[in-house]
């Protein structure tokens, strides 16, 4: 009995300790300076941006974002010495009023303030963050991942290059930077109001969604028509109707409403849709 209690105590203690120890999301390996610059350029970082680097190492991404691109931001890092080094560098570089570095577990960091989120982490860590990023980041936030993709997400763009200095890190020269944009949620049934040149009756649209991938169909004057060429970038949706050449829908998603223009035979007319049932 006493032995069983002792084992239970040890197990509870181990679980509690494990719960407090941050998951190691990756060793300290700084992104080469040229990659930092490419990451921030790919995200089109500017003075209105707030950049968050998860696992900020020596702070170089957020420091460059402030110094070269005029942005604000913060980095979180588990290693004390790196946090100290980064804050000292921010002072020296004259950007301490716009950036800061905190000793903090990246998995527990509130990232909702970001307009640009960067990471250079282990492949499995990147994917452990997928749900958190979708839940916390604002629609339209740009996510930049150095070398490892977010599985299930369609990148908006990727840049691939060969860097000799990466051989020591990953064994190969290949370097990839992925740009993703946090999508609006569009899954569900929508009641659309479209011009008569597209449909005589009210049109209904059914959209299915997996992160950034969207597919669907529309009921146009009683006929089921597949949606083709669907693209969702942040809150910007576009699609065509199969078999209806020259008709293109574009629109902005604002919660339960989509508003935009439909181009038919070269003429642009407003259209809108209201969410009837979400999923
Ligand atoms: C590959 S380095 C990237 C450094 C920097 N972002 C860059 O690209 O130069 C990953 C960093 O994440 C830090 N890290 C690992 N796990 C972490 C965690 N759970 N919370 C915060 N930082 C973490 C490591 O200490 C390391 O400095």
């Amino acid at each position: 009995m006493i032995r069983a209690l002792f084992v239970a105590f040890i197990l509870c203690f181990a679980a509690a300790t494990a719960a407090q120890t941050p998951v190691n999301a990756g060793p300290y390996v700084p992104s080469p300076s040229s990659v930092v610059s490419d990451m921030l350029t790919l995200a089109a970082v500017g003075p209105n941006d707030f950049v968050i680097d998860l696992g900020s190492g020596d702070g170089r991404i957020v420091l460059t974002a402030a110094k070269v691109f005029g942005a604000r931001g913060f980095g979180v890092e588990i290693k004390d010495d790196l946090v100290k080094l980064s804050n000292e560098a921010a002072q020296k570089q004259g950007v301490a009023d716009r950036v800061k570095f905190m000793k903090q577990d990246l998995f527990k960091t509130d990232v909702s303030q970001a307009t640009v989120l960067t990471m250079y982490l282990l492949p499995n860590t990147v994917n452990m963050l997928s749900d958190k990023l979708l839940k916390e980041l604002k629609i339209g936030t740009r996510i930049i991942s150095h070398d490892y993709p977010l599985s299930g997400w369609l990148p908006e763009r990727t840049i691939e290059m060969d860097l000799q200095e990466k051989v020591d890190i990953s064994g190969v020269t290949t370097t990839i930077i992925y740009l993703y944009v946090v999508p609006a949620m569009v899954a569900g049934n929508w009641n659309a109001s479209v011009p008569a040149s597209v449909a005589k009756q009210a049109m209904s649209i059914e959209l299915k969604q997996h992160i950034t991938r969207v597919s669907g169909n529309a009921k146009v004057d009683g006929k089921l028509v597949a949606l083709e060429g669907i693209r969702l970038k942040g809150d910007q949706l576009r699609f065509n109707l199969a078999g209806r050449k020259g008709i293109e829908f574009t629109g902005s998603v604002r919660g339960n409403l989509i508003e935009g223009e439909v181009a038919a035979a070269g003429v642009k007319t407003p259209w809108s849709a209201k969410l009837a049932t979400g999923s």
Side-chain angles (χ1 to χ4, degrees):
M1 172 67 174
I2 288 178
R3 195 162 176 267
L5 279 173
F6 180 71
V7 170
F9 171 77
I10 294 292
L11 286 175
C12 286
F13 181 75
T17 310
Q20 276 160 23
T21 309
V23 173
N24 189 349
Y28 171 51
V29 180
S31 296
S33 307
S34 67
V35 176
V36 171
S37 179
D38 288 343
M39 289 167 82
L40 297 169
T41 303
L42 184 61
V45 170
N48 292 329
D49 279 314
F50 194 94
V51 178
I52 296 180
D53 187 28
L54 294 180
S56 48
D58 64 4
R60 58 182 61 200
I61 293 179
V62 178
L63 290 168
T64 308
K67 211 174 147 190
V68 182
F69 296 80
R72 293 177 304 129
F74 69 72
V76 292
E77 171 55 58
I78 34 168
K79 293 200 166 86
D80 277 316
D81 53 337
L82 290 172
V83 174
K84 189 167 174 278
L85 190 78
S86 305
N87 281 318
E88 283 167 3
Q91 288 287 349
K92 276 190 206 136
Q93 295 178 25
V95 292
D97 56 335
R98 281 185 286 137
V99 303
K100 65 177 172 183
F101 298 90
M102 296 165 288
K103 185 183 177 184
Q104 203 166 294
D105 183 357
L106 62 89
F107 292 99
K108 296 186 178 150
T109 298
D110 177 355
V111 293
S112 59
Q113 206 183 346
T115 58
V116 175
L117 181 128
T118 57
M119 51 191 177
Y120 181 25
L121 301 168
L122 292 172
N124 62 332
T125 309
V126 169
N127 286 314
M128 280 161 71
L129 286 166
S130 181
D131 288 349
K132 175 179 172 65
L133 301 182
L134 267 180
K135 197 168 140 209
E136 288 181 23
L137 292 175
K138 294 179 282 289
I139 294 163
T141 301
R142 289 97 83 202
I143 299 172
I144 293 281
S145 183
H146 176 180
D147 268 353
Y148 302 111
L150 274 165
S151 60
W153 294 59
L154 283 179
E156 273 305 317
R157 275 192 64 198
T158 57
I159 298 181
E160 194 173 330
M161 69 204 98
D162 286 299
L163 291 177
Q164 205 53 45
E165 57 206 295
K166 290 297 275 296
V167 175
D168 290 343
I169 303 167
S170 42
V172 288
T173 55
T174 318
T175 300
I176 307 177
I177 304 171
Y178 297 86
L179 165 70
Y180 302 96
V181 177
V182 176
M185 294 298 134
V186 296
N189 294 302
W190 298 78
N191 290 330
S193 145
V194 298
S197 56
V198 175
K200 305 278 174 290
Q201 302 158 21
M203 189 172 115
S204 63
I205 299 171
E206 186 195 8
L207 295 176
K208 294 186 192 305
Q209 179 172 17
H210 176 62
I211 311 176
T212 45
R213 297 162 201 241
V214 180
S215 65
N217 53 60
K219 212 166 208 179
V220 186
D221 293 334
K223 275 194 196 142
L224 206 59
V225 179
L227 304 186
E228 287 182 341
I230 308 186
R231 292 287 296 123
L232 177 65
K233 180 181 179 184
D235 63 1
Q236 297 301 304
L237 180 70
R238 64 168 57 231
F239 58 87
N240 304 98
L241 296 178
R244 301 284 299 270
K245 239 178 150 197
I247 296 184
E248 185 180 49
F249 287 79
T250 52
S252 304
V253 185
R254 304 263 177 268
N256 291 346
L257 189 66
I258 305 174
E259 282 179 315
E261 287 183 330
V262 51
V267 180
K268 287 186 176 172
T269 319
W271 78 284
S272 63
K274 275 195 185 129
L275 189 65
T277 49
S279 63

